Amino acid sequence: MDGARSVNKGTRGGAAGKGEKLADWADGRLGLYALAKANMRKVFPDHWSFMLGEICLYSFLILILTGVYLTLFFEPSGVEVVYHGSYEPLNGVVMTRAYESTLDISFDVRGGLLIRQIHHWAALVFVTGMLVHMMRVFFTGAFRKPRELNWVFGWTLLFLGIITGLTGYSLPDDLLSGTGIRFADGAILSVPIVGTYLSFFLFGGEFPGHDIIPRLFPIHVLVLPGIMLGLVVAHLILVFYHKHTQYPGPGRDNKSVVGMPFLPVYMAKAGGFFFLTFGVLALMGGLAQINPVWAFGPYSPQLVTTGAQPDWYLGFSEGLIRVMPGWEINFWGHTLEPGVFIPFSLFPLILVALGVYPFVEAWITGDKREHHILDRPRNVPVRTGLGVAWLSLYVVLLIGGGNDIVATHLHLSINAITWFVRVSVFVVPVLAFVVTKRICLGLQRRDRDKVLHGRETGTVRRLPHGEYVEVHDPLPQEQLHTLTQHEQEPPYEIGPLVDANGVRRPVRRSQRVRAGLARAMFGPDTRIDKPTAKEYREITSGDHH
């Protein structure tokens, strides 16, 4: 036996190589073999919508790479200099060193303009991807237990991404970004009592001061990205631990996963998709101009760019302020600006409503189970309607934020657009909710009919007694499972207010609110009862065409 063992060892290559020794050394200290064996073959569901989260991740990595390159050449200084550079139209113009270094990156640094534009496009794609990804998670109910914490991580990343974008496009100190900072300063000044102190602390004195750019720079390149990187890592760890949710289908339940192994299939696809994302962003950065700071000129407090607009993800905040009436109140020697402060306060509240929704729904339903199968949006019409209403509100406010651009391009009155937005803020979300709910109920009815009567074939037959009927084909079992797998649990109810002894039991107000919300969100008016097995057998057992 010893001789056989030595022969076998010799046939396997004899002494271990350097790579194997290094792997053994690392495994003895880090336990890599056991970790890889337990996790590298994890099965992940495969669906195109899961790539939305990957786009966010890859855009974030590209932002870090391009941001490091730009940091090497950008000088975050508010010191004024006279420009003498490659861009002739601005020669002899007084500007800050930050703006001058931005021009140098654009015209003198090899590849600087390309990297700048890739960085800006990646920021837009990053925030867009996060919003679309979160909407996919919201509409399909992927935020339910055990993924509530991951939803909070994603929501925090979206909020920080918006703030990081604001600090980023404020750094060049051109006329457009300076106008955005002035807008932010006006919102800060509207805070009662302490607004002036906050503004002086942030800007180091009267606006615009010389301290704002040096202060924004470390926040943009160090503080916020560091926090976001930690959240991304935590988010990915939880995704890997919980695995992806999966769409309804045969063989898929809360205890089994249908998909591809993490290694090598998922990793190979992820690597290819990263380079595809990088290629598309590089193509956009090379062909599609964005933020041409030289066209705006340096910031001057007495000037405003024509048609100044923030990036799209901050448009709704400006829309809130633009359409708000210009109210002003003098109170005890203080000037209050509710026309600015109220919409300034609504900006985070609208986002907070999105962040806390999973916990509100969990409280309403009282559901403590784990959920790994996604909802079809049509089967949860109230949640779907709320999501569409939120998005419609955002679109309306985005129109309000660009009311001057809409007016000039469509040749409309800016006052008419402003009043349209003021009314639509209250009307459009309600209409969007009602229409979406009705559409979802209609789709539920269609699913019920398809289960009971099958698929229309377009073939018409004449029966012996002269009647013409259309032939329906029964649905395959896989499709029947998909259309009927969802649960229709009764909503939470308070129960009888009087017990068997005629004693009225105490009911807290929170219980009444919870019962009312449960009835409104998951009651009989929000669903079409799915077919039972008995109904299906009765209809399909005979010749019912």
Side-chain angles (χ1 to χ4, degrees):
M1 291 296 293
D2 293 339
R5 287 176 181 172
S6 63
V7 171
N8 290 338
K9 184 177 180 180
T11 58
R12 286 196 294 267
K18 293 182 179 180
E20 187 175 349
K21 289 181 178 179
L22 179 62
D24 289 338
W25 181 89
D27 178 59
R29 290 151 180 82
L30 303 175
L32 295 180
Y33 287 169
L35 183 66
K37 185 177 180 180
N39 295 292
M40 291 298 100
R41 298 295 293 175
K42 276 183 177 288
V43 174
F44 279 81
D46 193 7
H47 192 270
W48 67 265
S49 65
F50 297 148
M51 292 191 298
L52 296 171
E54 294 183 39
I55 291 175
C56 302
L57 174 62
Y58 303 148
S59 300
F60 182 68
L61 295 178
I62 294 167
L63 278 170
I64 293 177
L65 294 174
T66 54
V68 169
Y69 184 84
L70 295 174
T71 303
L72 300 175
F73 304 98
F74 180 74
E75 185 173 337
S77 173
V79 176
E80 292 186 342
V81 297
V82 178
Y83 179 71
H84 296 288
S86 301
Y87 189 63
E88 292 292 337
L90 290 178
N91 271 335
V93 176
V94 177
M95 59 185 64
T96 61
R97 184 70 187 98
Y99 184 64
E100 183 187 40
S101 63
T102 305
L103 294 178
D104 292 340
I105 292 173
S106 302
F107 297 109
D108 298 316
V109 175
R110 186 179 296 274
L113 180 59
L114 176 63
I115 299 300
R116 265 196 65 233
Q117 299 206 145
I118 292 177
H119 189 75
H120 203 135
W121 278 119
L124 294 179
V125 172
F126 176 56
V127 181
T128 304
M130 284 195 293
L131 181 61
V132 177
H133 175 59
M134 289 191 69
M135 287 298 100
R136 195 276 301 176
V137 172
F138 180 85
F139 286 122
T140 59
F143 53 76
R144 293 172 295 174
K145 184 181 178 181
R147 296 175 176 83
E148 304 98 329
L149 188 59
N150 230 6
W151 170 269
V152 174
F153 286 163
W155 176 87
T156 307
L157 281 169
L158 175 63
F159 190 80
L160 292 179
I162 293 174
I163 303 302
T164 307
L166 172 63
T167 59
Y169 72 66
S170 300
L171 289 177
D173 200 35
D174 61 294
L175 189 55
L176 180 61
S177 66
T179 303
I181 295 179
R182 180 72 210 188
F183 175 84
D185 179 57
I188 294 172
L189 287 172
S190 70
V191 178
I193 312 299
V194 298
T196 304
Y197 300 98
L198 292 175
S199 177
F200 270 59
F201 173 77
L202 181 63
F203 291 92
E206 287 281 357
F207 177 87
H210 296 286
D211 297 338
I212 185 63
I213 295 176
R215 291 177 178 179
L216 289 180
F217 183 72
I219 294 174
H220 178 73
V221 304
L222 183 62
V223 177
L224 293 178
I227 297 174
M228 294 174 69
L229 183 60
L231 289 172
V232 167
V233 172
H235 186 79
L236 292 177
I237 290 174
L238 287 180
V239 168
F240 199 86
Y241 176 70
H242 294 137
K243 293 182 286 295
H244 271 302
T245 50
Q246 50 189 343
Y247 286 88
R252 303 173 184 179
D253 54 40
N254 287 322
K255 296 183 179 180
S256 61
V257 181
V258 178
M260 296 293 181
F262 181 73
L263 194 72
V265 178
Y266 198 83
M267 283 294 293
K269 293 173 66 176
F273 194 46
F274 168 77
F275 288 108
L276 179 62
T277 305
F278 204 159
V280 171
L281 287 173
L283 193 66
M284 295 170 65
L287 299 179
Q289 179 176 271
I290 187 170
N291 196 24
V293 295
W294 56 88
F296 307 128
Y299 178 66
S300 180
Q302 68 271 16
L303 299 177
V304 177
T305 51
T306 302
Q309 300 293 315
D311 284 333
W312 70 268
Y313 47 82
L314 280 170
F316 76 100
S317 62
E318 186 160 336
L320 281 167
I321 292 180
R322 286 197 183 192
V323 303
M324 187 73 180
W327 295 339
E328 183 176 298
I329 301 173
N330 292 317
F331 183 73
W332 281 6
H334 295 277
T335 300
L336 304 181
E337 292 286 348
V340 178
F341 179 68
I342 291 176
F344 180 56
S345 304
L346 289 176
F347 163 61
L349 290 178
I350 292 175
L351 291 176
V352 167
L354 185 65
V356 302
Y357 180 85
F359 304 97
V360 175
E361 182 174 306
W363 174 70
I364 293 174
T365 60
D367 191 357
K368 305 296 183 181
R369 300 170 300 167
E370 290 192 0
H371 294 273
H372 303 287
I373 300 297
L374 297 174
D375 289 327
R376 300 175 77 209
R378 66 186 63 183
N379 293 330
V380 196
V382 174
R383 180 205 296 156
T384 304
L386 290 173
V388 173
W390 190 91
L391 292 174
S392 66
L393 174 63
Y394 183 91
V395 172
V396 168
L397 293 175
L398 196 62
I399 295 173
N403 55 3
D404 52 344
I405 300 297
V406 176
T408 55
H409 281 66
L410 299 182
H411 307 289
L412 298 174
S413 167
I414 191 170
N415 291 328
I417 296 173
T418 300
W419 275 105
F420 167 79
V421 174
R422 287 176 177 174
V423 175
S424 299
V425 162
F426 301 98
V427 175
V428 170
V430 176
L431 290 178
F433 173 82
V434 173
V435 171
T436 302
K437 182 180 176 182
R438 299 304 302 173
I439 291 175
C440 290
L441 291 175
L443 292 174
Q444 287 187 45
R445 289 190 182 93
R446 190 184 70 172
D447 289 346
R448 176 183 171 86
D449 291 340
K450 287 174 66 176
V451 170
L452 293 177
H453 303 289
R455 179 181 60 86
E456 296 179 355
T457 63
T459 302
V460 178
R461 290 181 180 176
R462 182 181 179 185
L463 301 181
H465 59 275
E467 180 186 359
Y468 289 90
V469 296
E470 182 181 15
V471 178
H472 287 214
D473 282 344
L475 298 179
Q477 289 298 319
E478 294 82 359
Q479 192 172 0
L480 287 174
H481 172 79
T482 301
L483 296 181
T484 59
Q485 55 78 38
H486 59 284
E487 299 176 347
Q488 291 185 330
E489 298 290 339
Y492 168 80
E493 295 181 353
I494 298 177
L497 299 179
V498 180
D499 62 18
N501 298 320
V503 178
R504 186 177 183 85
R505 63 187 184 90
V507 178
R508 296 191 302 272
R509 180 175 298 178
S510 60
Q511 291 179 288
R512 296 180 185 273
V513 173
R514 179 184 173 189
L517 291 175
R519 187 168 52 254
M521 293 186 65
F522 305 101
D525 294 336
T526 66
R527 67 190 186 196
I528 304 299
D529 293 334
K530 63 181 183 180
T532 63
K534 180 180 179 181
E535 289 176 321
Y536 180 76
R537 286 193 299 268
E538 288 178 351
I539 288 183
T540 58
S541 59
D543 184 15
H544 293 279
H545 315 294

